[in-house]
DNA sequence: ATTGAAACTCGCAGAGT
DNA sequence: ACTCTGCGAGTTTCAAT
């Protein structure tokens, strides 16, 4: 059974502070919560150990990386039981930031980040080339009304930037 | 004109390291890149100042917060020019992690995180209660094949947890 | 933009409650 | 699980290049 590991009040407050700025010092967290640094240190260490904290990330302005274009691609596949393979194949495509297996006929949704429509076209072709995929539907993101992820880009390394050739 | 602020090689490598673990020390980054800590410090400071770095976040295991259920809600609205207001209204609803204004008929997409289907129902009602909204379509996320955001939850603070009452 | 040194602050571990 | 204590390590500033 996958039991829900619940969290106490103090840990929740530590996470709240880390969420706003993951690079604050333990000492600063301790100050804000009226604890000692050691206590904060221990709690964070345990949350990391228990997998409650998965990691820490930087949110980057995508324009700075030459990736101003975002889109969602909905995907239909045919033998539905190939979903795991399709999921893996989509996830591996450069420019795919997120990929979800969903209920419904359009059983995959991928969020794309790229430099321009040419780059988007190339990504769409790669998705359509996956064997069980028989249809895609793409919508462009005009604006994010709320974006938690900021731009946690998998592709800081990648180089899907505006200047790249073939 | 919104010019694309491009980034040099060193900054890209710094961002790559921060992406994997935003809580590494500047000294450690410096070691990996063969720079001095001061240089790394200065470059990070400037990227923060210029808005290239938006912030740093912790990725939390959602189950630990009692939020095992994820969904996407597509929204249709009627006078299309009320989009900005609708976007703001959706973004404010507790449980909405991300909200995007899109091209196409379903011009908004919201990603939801909540404790159970009851909670999801309540969120859907709130979305449908927004004036210009005349239709929603909900799909449940079965699995994330790729999830950059990990679980950057806006609602660590919130308390949409399993145990909450009304 | 980078450096090296100086002053300050923090991380982290050990021992104790 | 928290506190106190202390040293090694990290942060941050600054004059100089």
């Amino acid at each position: 059974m996958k039991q829900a590991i619940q969290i106490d009040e103090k840990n929740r407050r530590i996470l709240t502070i880390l969420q706003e700025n993951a690079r604050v010092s333990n000492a600063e967290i301790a100050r804000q919560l009226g604890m000692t640094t050691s206590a904060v240190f221990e709690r964070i260490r345990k949350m990391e150990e228990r997998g409650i904290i998965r990691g820490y990330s930087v949110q980057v302005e995508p324009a700075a990386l030459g990736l101003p274009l975002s889109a969602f691609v909905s995907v239909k596949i045919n033998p539905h039981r190939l979903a795991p393979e399709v999921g893996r194949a989509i996830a591996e495509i450069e420019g795919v930031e997120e990929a979800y297996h969903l209920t419904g006929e359009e059983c995959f949704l991928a969020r794309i980040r790229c430099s321009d429509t040419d780059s988007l076209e190339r990504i769409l072709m790669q998705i359509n080339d996956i064997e069980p995929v028989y249809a895609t539907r793409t919508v462009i993101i005009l604006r994010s009304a709320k974006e938690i992820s900021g731009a946690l880009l998998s592709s800081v390394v990648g180089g899907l930037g505006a200047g790249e050739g073939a």
Side-chain angles (χ1 to χ4, degrees), chain A:
Chain A
M1 180 180 74
K2 193 157 191 179
Q3 65 130 157
I5 316 141
Q6 284 294 39
I7 259 174
D8 72 359
E9 179 62 19
K10 279 181 183 171
N11 279 353
R12 232 201 55 225
R13 297 181 71 186
I14 290 171
L15 289 175
T16 305
I17 292 169
L18 284 173
Q19 189 133 69
E20 282 169 17
N21 178 10
R23 263 173 92 83
V24 287
S25 63
N26 294 348
E28 176 58 28
I29 296 170
R31 247 173 261 127
Q32 286 185 37
L33 302 184
M35 302 170 73
T36 58
T37 55
S38 316
V40 171
F41 176 77
E42 257 299 292
R43 280 175 168 269
I44 290 176
R45 199 191 58 72
K46 277 181 188 162
M47 285 195 283
E48 287 168 351
E49 190 181 79
R50 291 168 62 197
I52 292 169
I53 290 176
R54 287 185 184 170
Y56 309 92
S57 242
V58 61
Q59 292 158 253
V60 181
E61 172 58 44
L65 299 163
L67 302 168
L69 187 58
S70 289
F72 279 107
V73 181
S74 299
V75 177
K76 295 185 190 181
I77 69 170
N78 191 281
H80 241 74
R81 54 192 183 70
L82 291 178
E85 287 87 330
V86 174
R88 254 173 274 134
I90 292 175
E92 271 167 21
I93 296 169
E94 196 174 74
V96 172
E97 293 295 327
E98 297 172 63
Y100 299 99
H101 185 202
L102 308 174
T103 58
E105 199 190 353
E106 296 181 320
C107 68
F108 277 99
L109 185 68
R111 190 166 62 76
I112 310 296
R113 263 247 176 239
C114 54
S115 55
D116 49 35
T117 48
D118 279 7
S119 175
L120 179 58
E121 189 189 18
R122 257 178 270 134
I123 294 165
L124 288 173
M125 280 171 151
Q126 287 177 72
I127 294 174
N128 279 291
D129 277 348
I130 298 165
E131 242 318 314
V133 172
Y134 72 91
T136 63
R137 185 175 60 96
T138 303
V139 291
I140 303 289
I141 301 179
L142 299 172
R143 162 183 298 278
S144 67
K146 180 169 191 174
E147 191 172 21
I148 305 304
S149 49
L152 287 164
L153 300 166
S154 57
S155 40
V156 176
V157 205
L160 266 179
E164 72 144 11

